[in-house]
Every structure is written in structure tokens, then in C-alpha cells.
């Protein structure tokens, strides 16, 4: 093997001379099929509602969600991850709207499947936080703590109604212990061995979820530090990974992406299942805000963040720029 720089004529710059040369030797290539679009659908609105902290992203009506899904197919994006935003009066302590077959997320899943069939992998967020009036990802015990095992019961039912509504993939994002195994059993129990689980394996308690709270009209008071991971920890991710794989995760995810590329690289090295990363709302907002101020070049910054995430080991990237980036790549 060449030891770089070991002979006098070594000039790495020779491989950077022209765009064609750089393209030829590029180690990482983004492709539209790497990308998955997260999308929000809100109950009870007749026009899409702009999310102020995420310029260009909307809470969709069922109609505009269908259009967004069709556009994603046209752009060559692989998948769509749906988040439901119920009307305030439909939130309660148990997050009942999340398991109601006529809840907004289930209605949206059916609409999107009707629109795109199998042309897009249709995924659903499997978590209670959008549906609970306290905003936590699970149900609470008498002391107000998130009750892990009682929450699992709710997730099992959610997985079943989401599968019935047409989800190809469910994405449990609540970081409850045992969630993947219980959901697998619940799906298999109704004969839905065909529905995959994209496990949010390493999900950190992050300040960068900020804009998402507006996007889903979150009711959360406090934080999620008793269930999401501490940003200080790395080894813990490998433990979460081992558990998710043992419980039957079909695909695993690291989230957020940009501030956790070291975790992503470690996870990617350790598995033989597809690895995803979620470039979250705050990562999107930072680039959009700096670009709006004229402080960075928007399109280059977008491409660079996505390239970095792929280079670190993500095969699939959830990004709010999915459709735009896919078009840029074409
Ligand atoms: C939980 C969930 C969150 C996000 C995706 N799923 C919020 C949270 O954990 O607080 C955040 C996504 C983003 O910020 O773009 N259902």
C-alpha cells in the first residue's frame, strides 16, 4: 500500500485539478434515492401553514401532502416519513388520536398510499408526543414520569393501526426500552410480517429539535432527558444498537445527524443492516437562517451537510431538503 507523502514527488493536488478529475476520484456520491422526506400533516386546516422556524416547510393539508408525496416520487426520493398534527381538542393524556384508525396520521397514511402506491416507501413516526396533551413521547405514571412499559402497550397498538393504514415502515422514535421487540411482536401478531421497523437507535436529547416543536404544535413542558440519550455519551449508542438488532430492527438510525457524525460512523461500522441518519429541524434552520442573512452559500451548504452525513456512514438520509436536493442532483 502507498504510504502517502513518502516519496518526494507526492502532490495530492494533482487529483484536484479539474471538475472532471474531482468527480472521478470522489469517494462519496449523493443520489436522490439516498433521501427520505419528513412531512407534517395537520388536522382541520384548509390551507398549508408555514412553519416560521423552517422556511420552506409546511404543515400540510391532506391535499397538499398528496402533492408533496407525488413530487417526491418525481424527484426520485425513496421515501416519506409522516408526522401527524392533531387538532388541539383531540390531544389527551394517553395520545388516543395516535391509535384511532381515523386519527390524522392514519388518514394521511391512507391518502399517501392511495396517491403513490408502492412508488415511495411510506413511513410513519411511531411516537405519542404529537398526540399527548403533555407532549411526552409516552404515557405518564402517577408521579408524572414517563412509564416505559405502559407506553409500550400504546406503541404496539399504534404499530398495528399504522400498518392497517398502509405504512410500509414504522419508525419508533420514543426511545422506550424494548420498543422494537414489542412492536415486532405486535405486527407479527396481526400477520404483518411484511412491515419493516426503522429503529431510532441512537436518538439524543438535542436542542436542535427546537423548530420541530413548532412544526408539530408540541405541548411539551420540560424535556426528554429521562428517555433520550445524553449528548455526552458514545458507548451507550452501541448498547442501544445491540438491543435494537437483537429485538429485530430492520434498519437503524442516528439522530440528529450533523452534531453526531462520530456516532453515525461507529454505528455504520458495527452493523449489517441499512443505516439512516436524520438531519433534523434545527440543522435545517441553521443553514436556512445563515443563508438568508447572506452569511453562507445555501446550496453548497446543503450539499456539503448531506455529503458529510453520507461520508460518515449513512446510506439513507432523512432531510427536509430531500426533494430540492434530489432535483439539484439530477
Ligand atoms: C418524536 C420526534 C421528534 C423529532 C422526530 N420525532 C422530536 C423530539 O424527539 O423531541 C424531531 C425531528 C426534527 O427535529 O426534525 N416524535
Amino acid at each position: 500500500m502507498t504510504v502517502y507523502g513518502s516519496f518526494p514527488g507526492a502532490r495530492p493536488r494533482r487529483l484536484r485539478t479539474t471538475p472532471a478529475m474531482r468527480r472521478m476520484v470522489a469517494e462519496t456520491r449523493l443520489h436522490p434515492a439516498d433521501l427520505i422526506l419528513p412531512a407534517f400533516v395537520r388536522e382541520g386546516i384548509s390551507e398549508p401553514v408555514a412553519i416560521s422556524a423552517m422556511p420552506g416547510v409546511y404543515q400540510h393539508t391532506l391535499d397538499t401532502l398528496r402533492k408533496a408525496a407525488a413530487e417526491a416520487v418525481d424527484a426520485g426520493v425513496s421515501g416519506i416519513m409522516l408526522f401527524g398534527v392533531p387538532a388541539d381538542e383531540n390531544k389527551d393524556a394517553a395520545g388516543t388520536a395516535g391509535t384511532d384508525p381515523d386519527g390524522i396520521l392514519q388518514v394521511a397514511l391512507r391518502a399517501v398510499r392511495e396517491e403513490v402506491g408502492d412508488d415511495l416507501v411510506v413511513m410513519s413516526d411511531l411516537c405519542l408526543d404529537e398526540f399527548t396533551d403533555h407532549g411526552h413521547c409516552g404515557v405518564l405514571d402517577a408521579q408524572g414520569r414517563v412509564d416505559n412499559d405502559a407506553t409500550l402497550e400504546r406503541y404496539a397498538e399504534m404499530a398495528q393501526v399504522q400498518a392497517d393504514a398502509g405504512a410500509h415502515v414504522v419508525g419508533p422514535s420514543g426511545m422506550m426500552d424494548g420498543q422494537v421487540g414489542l412492536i415486532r411482536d405486535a405486527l407479527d401478531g396481526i400477520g404483518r410480517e411484511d412491515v419493516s421497523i426503522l429503529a431510532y437507535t441512537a436518538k439524543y436529547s438535542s436542542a436542535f429539535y427546537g423548530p420541530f416543536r413548532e412544526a408539530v404544535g408540541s405541548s411539551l413542558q420540560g424535556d426528554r432527558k429521562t428517555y433520550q440519550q445524553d449528548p455526552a455519551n458514545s458507548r451507550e449508542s452501541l448498547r442501544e444498537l445491540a438491543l435494537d438488532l437483537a429485538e429485530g430492527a430492520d434498519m437503524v438510525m442516528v439522530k440528529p445527524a450533523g452534531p453526531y457524525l462520530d456516532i453515525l460512523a461507529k454505528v455504520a461500522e458495527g452493523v449489517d443492516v441499512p443505516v439512516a441518519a436524520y438531519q433534523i429541524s434545527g440543522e435545517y434552520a441553521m443553514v436556512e437562517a445563515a443563508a438568508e442573512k447572506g452569511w453562507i452559500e445555501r446550496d453548497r451548504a446543503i450539499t456539503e451537510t448531506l455529503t458529510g452525513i453520507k461520508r460518515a456512514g449513512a446510506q439513507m438520509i432523512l432531510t427536509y431538503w430531500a426533494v430540492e436536493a434530489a432535483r439539484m442532483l439530477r
Side-chain angles (χ1 to χ4, degrees):
M1 195 180 139
T2 319
V3 178
Y4 293 100
S6 63
F7 59 98
R11 289 183 182 270
R13 287 184 54 193
R14 276 197 282 264
L15 300 182
R16 301 175 197 145
T17 46
T18 66
M21 179 68 85
R22 293 192 292 273
R23 188 166 63 123
M24 183 177 77
V25 302
E27 296 172 39
T28 307
R29 288 181 215 286
L30 286 170
H31 188 277
D34 300 333
L35 306 174
I36 297 166
L37 176 72
F40 305 104
V41 56
R42 178 166 162 189
E43 186 176 27
I45 52 171
S46 50
E47 293 296 324
V49 176
I51 301 162
S52 65
M54 301 174 75
V57 181
Y58 295 85
Q59 293 176 330
H60 284 292
T61 66
L62 285 167
D63 231 34
T64 64
L65 178 68
R66 280 174 181 261
K67 289 193 186 111
E71 272 176 26
V73 174
D74 279 347
V77 163
S78 311
I80 190 166
M81 170 70 81
L82 300 182
F83 293 90
V85 185
D88 273 343
E89 67 268 21
N90 289 333
K91 292 185 179 187
D92 58 27
T96 309
T99 45
D100 179 348
D102 295 320
I104 182 64
L105 183 52
Q106 283 65 254
V107 172
L109 283 165
R110 285 194 289 270
V112 168
R113 279 302 302 281
E114 198 182 284
E115 186 71 32
V116 303
D118 290 331
D119 291 345
L120 205 56
V121 179
V122 178
M123 313 185 177
S124 52
D125 185 51
L126 200 168
C127 192
L128 284 171
D129 67 313
E130 290 94 351
F131 306 104
T132 51
D133 53 12
H134 47 72
H136 275 293
C137 293
V139 292
L140 307 181
D141 67 15
Q143 283 82 46
R145 296 172 304 198
V146 175
D147 184 332
N148 194 90
D149 296 10
T151 299
L152 293 184
E153 299 298 318
R154 302 284 300 123
Y155 286 180
E157 197 182 334
M158 268 189 116
Q160 293 174 338
V161 295
Q162 291 179 355
D164 282 345
H168 293 108
V169 175
V170 297
S173 65
M175 291 302 281
M176 295 302 130
D177 294 334
Q179 61 185 11
V180 172
L182 207 95
I183 288 168
R184 184 71 270 157
D185 286 347
L187 290 169
D188 293 354
I190 57 163
R192 296 308 304 270
E193 296 85 357
D194 59 324
V195 174
S196 312
I197 301 177
L198 167 59
Y200 283 61
T201 290
K203 180 173 178 183
Y204 284 89
S205 176
S206 172
F208 297 102
Y209 299 137
F212 179 91
R213 302 275 157 86
E214 178 195 344
V216 299
S218 172
S219 314
L220 184 69
Q221 309 283 326
D223 58 52
R224 307 196 195 285
K225 290 180 184 169
T226 67
Y227 42 104
Q228 296 180 345
Q229 286 179 248
D230 185 334
N233 295 348
S234 170
R235 280 197 300 273
E236 186 182 35
S237 291
L238 298 180
R239 186 169 186 220
E240 290 282 2
L241 176 65
L243 289 167
D244 281 357
L245 292 173
E247 289 173 32
D250 298 288
M251 300 173 272
V252 296
M253 173 148 63
V254 173
K255 176 183 179 178
Y260 296 89
L261 294 183
D262 58 328
I263 307 297
L264 181 55
K266 265 197 198 175
V267 166
E269 225 166 78
V271 292
D272 53 8
V273 297
V275 175
Y278 195 142
Q279 182 180 55
I280 64 165
S281 57
E283 297 177 72
Y284 177 91
M286 283 194 294
V287 170
E288 291 289 347
E292 196 189 292
K293 284 188 171 281
W295 291 349
I296 57 171
E297 279 178 60
R298 181 176 179 277
D299 292 3
R300 276 186 65 198
I302 293 172
T303 308
E304 189 173 330
T305 59
L306 295 172
T307 303
I309 293 166
K310 186 161 183 190
R311 191 190 61 234
Q315 193 172 334
M316 290 116 59
I317 306 173
L318 286 91
T319 172
Y320 298 98
W321 288 304
V323 170
E324 191 185 345
R327 286 181 184 144
M328 277 196 260
L329 291 167
R330 285 208 152 173

